[in-house]
Amino acid sequence: MSATTAPPTGPAPGTPSAVGVPVDTHCPYCALQCGMSLRPGTSAGAQAADAGASVEVVERTAFDVNRGALCGKGRTAPALLSSGVRLTGPLVRRHPGGGLEPASWEEALDRVAAGLSGVRTAHGPDAVGVFGGGGLTNEKAYLLGKFARLVLGTSQIDYNGRFCMSSAAAAHNRAFGLDRGLPFPLADVARTGCVILVGSNPAETMPPALRYFTELRERGGKLVVIDPRRTRTAEHADLHLAPRPGTDLALALGMLHLVVAEGRVDEEFVAARTTGWPAARAAAMAHWPELVERITGVPVPALREAVAMFCDAGSSMVLTARGPEQQSKGTDTVGAWINLCLATGRAGRPLSGYGCLTGQGNGQGGREHGQKADQLPGYRRLDDPAAREHVARVWGVEPEVLPGPGRSAYELLDALGTDGGPRALLLSGSNPVVSAPHAAHVEERIASLDFLAVCDVVLSETAELADVVLPVAQWAEETGTVTSLEGRVLLRRRAVAAPPGVRTDLEVLNALAARLGWEKGFPTDPEEVFDELRRASAGGPADYSGITYRRIAEEDGVFWPCPEAPAGEGTDVPGPVPAPGPVPHPGTPRLFLDRFATPDGRARFVPVTHRPSAEEPDAGHPLLLTTGRVLAQYQSGAQTRRVAELNDAAPGPFVQLHPRLAERIGVAEGEPVAVVSRRGRAVAPARITPGIRPDTVFMPFHWPGAGRANTLTNPALDPTSRMPEFKVCAVRVERADGDG
Ligand code: SF4
């Protein structure tokens, strides 16, 4: 049952609110999905249904995750609704090499349909690609996947969520048979005994979540933070370990070694609820503490202290984020932390377990409903005949019509414009020119396309390269569901009307599908799309069939899986979702308490061993670069860089470096520093702090131009998750005299 306290307020989904009446909804940005209320039309004479009506954020304390607290990003989100920088009409490039010009919707949609179908006719369906985003609602992600596979017939679809936490998802599936970011509500974090937070900085990325860690410590629990930098989060920790970037796999193995050596294995749990321990144990025993100290730089006594904190607490958790995940060995790194949890009996029990703090607003739901290269709705596998059969029946086609798995996000971007790769691309809710690794190369590949169409709210750096730009509605202007980092399906409600020149993504897909011969099957009403998604997900790992808009509104969120009917009673048939039975499924706030989602119900240890990052330092590039986010900006910054208050707080990139390194290269605070990797050079002002390892530099990745951090990053991919290695690459730094 949802931990809700009071039902949300507002009009029926899809209806703009009356002037001055607050509408309960959620933030457009990160996966915490803070609850907020929007009070529309509060300026003199404004009507809620008017385009550009002012919107005020008001506290929504009844939503238990954030209890009214918001970070600056959420608080200022409405600034973009009526901003002069947002797109309010389609743009087309009528002449090669010419600029983008205003156009009617008819012309723009005709051009997109012709651009996609022309390339498909000339070069085959896989010459057309689709690139989605982890910020799209469940309804958009679902319909985008259906559009790609049915209307375009292409296998070439993936999304930027691949860059978010695909390694954690892969490790989750491998060990537990199911991937949900947190297998428990966030509130459990405050009530456990010890949390090890690996490569996560919630004090900057999701500040309202920090209260759970504060409460944990107030109750006597321990917080261990593992991060190469002394972040704002690390300052709250009882113990901060700062390993060399790319070595946290070894760190986890060293801790598991000590668990075995100190007799701390929960033998009863291992015997009753897991498989594969002997091989995982042997792998850990090859990583003795002194070796791990040499690899990671973390002293053995600190390693022992972390083990003691974790094991002496009656219950404990490991939470990872992008640090361990965005590596070419991200799946194994997360797997090593999961092994630590399993060996100590810290999984599948109350207040214990492994979880991932998902990043993007709908990073969880976005990967469950079909915009990922290898998945069908309901977290079904595209290569599973039964899954294909089920979804094909819901879509009213034969299973053979569905293409097979396609390329992962970076591989898709890398293949654009090449022989055998997509030559036309439809892109929605993503800005890979800033956010993809090896970004100059990605920019080049995008520019080489025969045709590019972009749906966005602003003219992002990627949209600037498009042949057609379609302006779409923002979060407060449309209704839809998202799934938070807790696996809780939430309802964002429409509070104001979109400007007249703007359409919703669902309307865009409907219009394009109609032009390409699909008059039916692409509804514009989000609730209708959600009801179809429920049927498509029924019986799948991420089963939403028992979740309705009404239930979400009444319960303030429902945790999946939530099947509609008892097993075997009509969940696997197309057609209307059966009427709710007398006792609806309550949803599943906590997973794995009785059994794991594997065929035998046992969690699987996977033996993993440390290996170097894809790129290690050498004489030419003797340092390591790691990248991340800052408090006032979000992802590629396409939205937050256009909000004055946020831009004032974080106006540009910087290079964080240790005083000893700064002294060695002769750079003072604020002076320009060049960071050079094997892929390029970026220049930004120095920010000197002792809170970073002397062998490491850090750059935030929100900005384009000379300070674009992703010019430098390494696209080496994890073999399982296909996650690029954003977090580690070899660089040199030097004074940037003359670079500005
Ligand atoms: Fe929005 Fe995330 Fe900030 Fe909450 S923490 S207000 S969800 S950006």
Side-chain angles (χ1 to χ4, degrees):
M1 188 76 75
S2 157
T4 186
T5 48
T9 62
T15 314
S17 168
V19 172
V21 177
V23 180
D24 286 344
T25 188
H26 296 269
C27 174
Y29 295 116
C30 85
L32 193 59
Q33 281 303 292
C34 291
M36 60 166 66
S37 293
L38 296 176
R39 184 183 291 140
T42 47
S43 65
Q47 297 295 310
D50 285 352
S54 67
V55 174
E56 183 190 7
V57 172
V58 288
E59 255 190 13
R60 183 181 162 198
T61 52
F63 186 66
D64 59 344
V65 170
N66 62 307
R67 295 186 202 156
L70 297 170
C71 77
K73 297 183 287 283
R75 192 170 38 74
T76 59
L80 215 52
L81 292 170
S82 54
S83 163
V85 300
R86 83 172 287 189
L87 297 168
T88 52
L91 300 171
V92 302
R93 196 181 307 276
R94 294 195 173 91
H95 311 289
L100 286 165
E101 303 169 45
S104 69
W105 270 97
E106 290 307 299
E107 180 189 353
L109 289 167
D110 286 348
R111 280 177 179 269
V112 177
L116 299 177
S117 64
V119 167
R120 188 182 55 177
T121 303
H123 303 286
D126 277 357
V128 181
V130 174
F131 200 84
L136 301 179
T137 61
N138 291 321
E139 292 79 358
K140 294 179 191 179
Y142 171 81
L143 218 58
L144 194 64
K146 184 179 178 184
F147 179 84
R149 292 179 175 117
L150 288 195
V151 178
L152 301 176
T154 183
S155 68
Q156 300 299 297
I157 175 170
D158 211 57
Y159 78 128
N160 65 17
R162 177 80 66 171
F163 301 157
C164 179
M165 40 73 63
S166 54
S167 294
H172 248 131
N173 279 322
R174 208 162 68 170
F176 304 131
L178 187 73
D179 156 44
R180 198 180 85 183
L182 292 180
F184 39 71
L186 199 52
D188 285 5
V189 169
R191 296 166 54 225
T192 188
C194 174
V195 174
I196 298 182
L197 202 49
V198 192
S200 173
N201 184 14
E204 296 216 49
T205 56
M206 45 180 71
L210 206 60
R211 76 173 170 89
Y212 294 103
F213 300 100
T214 306
E215 200 179 321
L216 164 78
R217 296 189 66 222
E218 283 170 358
R219 287 170 180 256
K222 301 290 185 194
L223 176 62
V224 179
V225 170
I226 296 175
D227 198 303
R229 299 188 300 143
R230 187 163 180 82
T231 60
R232 291 187 197 185
T233 307
E235 281 166 13
H236 292 263
D238 296 281
L239 178 65
H240 171 214
L241 309 183
R244 187 171 170 271
T247 64
D248 30 9
L249 171 51
L251 192 77
L253 284 161
M255 287 183 66
L256 184 52
H257 181 110
L258 285 172
V259 163
V260 175
E262 294 175 5
R264 293 177 181 272
V265 174
D266 186 335
E267 303 286 359
E268 201 178 317
F269 177 88
V270 168
R273 298 203 57 191
T274 71
T275 58
W277 171 231
R281 182 184 187 282
M285 296 320 284
H287 293 76
W288 59 96
E290 292 74 16
L291 173 67
V292 168
E293 178 176 324
R294 281 204 297 280
I295 295 170
T296 64
V298 174
V300 172
L303 205 62
R304 287 190 194 282
E305 197 179 347
V307 169
M309 283 183 180
F310 190 70
C311 295
D312 289 347
S315 56
S316 35
M317 298 175 176
V318 173
L319 303 178
T320 67
R322 304 305 79 75
E325 296 163 19
Q326 289 180 326
Q327 297 186 30
S328 61
K329 52 179 182 289
T331 306
D332 282 356
T333 302
V334 173
W337 290 107
I338 291 176
N339 286 350
L340 179 71
C341 290
L342 292 175
T344 52
R346 264 59 173 183
R349 283 177 167 164
L351 303 180
S352 281
Y354 162 77
C356 157
L357 295 171
T358 307
Q360 294 188 91
N362 196 28
Q364 181 69 48
R367 70 180 182 274
E368 294 166 0
H369 297 299
Q371 64 175 331
K372 195 158 172 265
D374 53 357
Q375 276 173 10
L376 287 169
Y379 222 135
R380 289 183 151 92
R381 290 179 60 96
L382 193 47
D383 58 5
D384 172 3
R388 294 170 66 86
E389 169 86 26
H390 173 85
V391 174
R393 284 164 70 202
V394 173
W395 288 353
V397 297
E398 293 301 319
E400 301 72 41
V401 168
L402 303 179
R407 293 180 171 92
S408 73
Y410 182 77
E411 290 165 298
L412 195 157
L413 294 170
D414 184 41
L416 295 178
T418 62
D419 282 349
R423 305 169 73 115
L425 186 71
L426 174 65
L427 184 143
S428 186
S430 187
N431 187 17
V433 166
V434 177
S435 62
H438 197 0
H441 172 70
V442 166
E443 187 173 357
E444 214 177 272
R445 299 287 8 114
I446 292 173
S448 77
L449 284 165
D450 293 352
F451 181 78
L452 172 65
V454 172
C455 302
D456 211 329
V457 300
V458 294
L459 194 64
S460 70
E461 288 72 19
T462 306
E464 284 176 14
L465 302 176
D467 297 286
V468 180
V469 182
L470 302 173
V472 289
Q474 296 190 51
W475 102 112
E477 299 162 346
E478 57 186 349
T479 293
T481 61
V482 291
T483 306
S484 75
L485 80 178
E486 298 178 295
R488 180 165 165 174
V489 186
L490 303 167
L491 187 63
R492 285 195 194 146
R493 298 160 143 235
R494 185 184 187 213
V496 288
V502 161
R503 295 192 183 179
T504 67
D505 291 85
L506 299 185
E507 288 168 344
V508 167
L509 291 174
N510 171 283
L512 289 176
R515 279 167 171 75
L516 294 168
W518 289 76
E519 292 291 340
K520 290 189 177 163
F522 292 86
T524 57
D525 172 25
E527 190 165 6
E528 200 180 326
V529 177
F530 188 76
D531 281 343
E532 185 183 308
L533 178 160
R534 293 170 57 205
R535 293 200 299 278
S537 76
D543 190 333
Y544 281 36
S545 60
I547 305 173
T548 61
Y549 273 24
R550 194 167 133 191
R551 273 195 69 180
I552 303 172
E554 285 174 2
E555 300 172 31
D556 223 355
V558 181
F559 292 82
W560 71 260
C562 181
E564 168 66 26
E569 288 189 24
T571 55
D572 196 36
V573 293
V577 174
V583 183
H585 190 286
T588 315
R590 294 177 182 82
L591 294 167
F592 312 139
L593 293 182
D594 300 322
R595 71 189 307 278
F596 295 96
T598 53
D600 63 4
R602 290 167 174 259
R604 295 179 285 231
F605 278 101
V606 178
V608 292
T609 55
H610 171 72
R611 56 184 185 272
S613 299
E615 201 173 78
E616 288 289 321
D618 59 18
H621 303 87
L623 300 165
L624 292 170
L625 168 73
T626 191
T627 62
R629 290 165 49 189
V630 297
L631 175 63
Q633 298 287 354
Y634 181 69
Q635 307 297 49
S636 82
Q639 294 164 78
T640 49
R641 281 186 273 119
R642 291 170 168 88
V643 175
E645 184 181 328
L646 300 177
N647 209 43
D648 289 349
F654 57 87
V655 180
Q656 194 179 61
L657 71 170
H658 192 274
R660 288 212 297 273
L661 176 58
E663 192 184 348
R664 206 164 73 221
I665 63 170
V667 164
E669 177 76 13
E671 289 184 342
V673 177
V675 183
V676 185
S677 79
R678 290 184 177 86
R679 288 152 295 283
R681 171 186 174 92
V683 178
R687 196 169 285 183
I688 300 169
T689 169
I692 188 167
R693 293 173 55 97
D695 59 3
T696 301
V697 294
F698 167 83
M699 287 186 77
F701 66 86
H702 310 289
W703 290 273
R708 180 173 63 183
N710 276 319
T711 298
L712 308 166
T713 46
N714 188 357
L717 301 181
D718 179 280
T720 307
S721 67
R722 318 306 288 167
M723 167 72 87
E725 191 148 69
F726 288 98
K727 288 296 183 208
V728 201
C729 73
V731 295
R732 67 173 180 272
V733 297
E734 53 203 26
R735 285 183 60 91
D737 301 312
D739 278 295

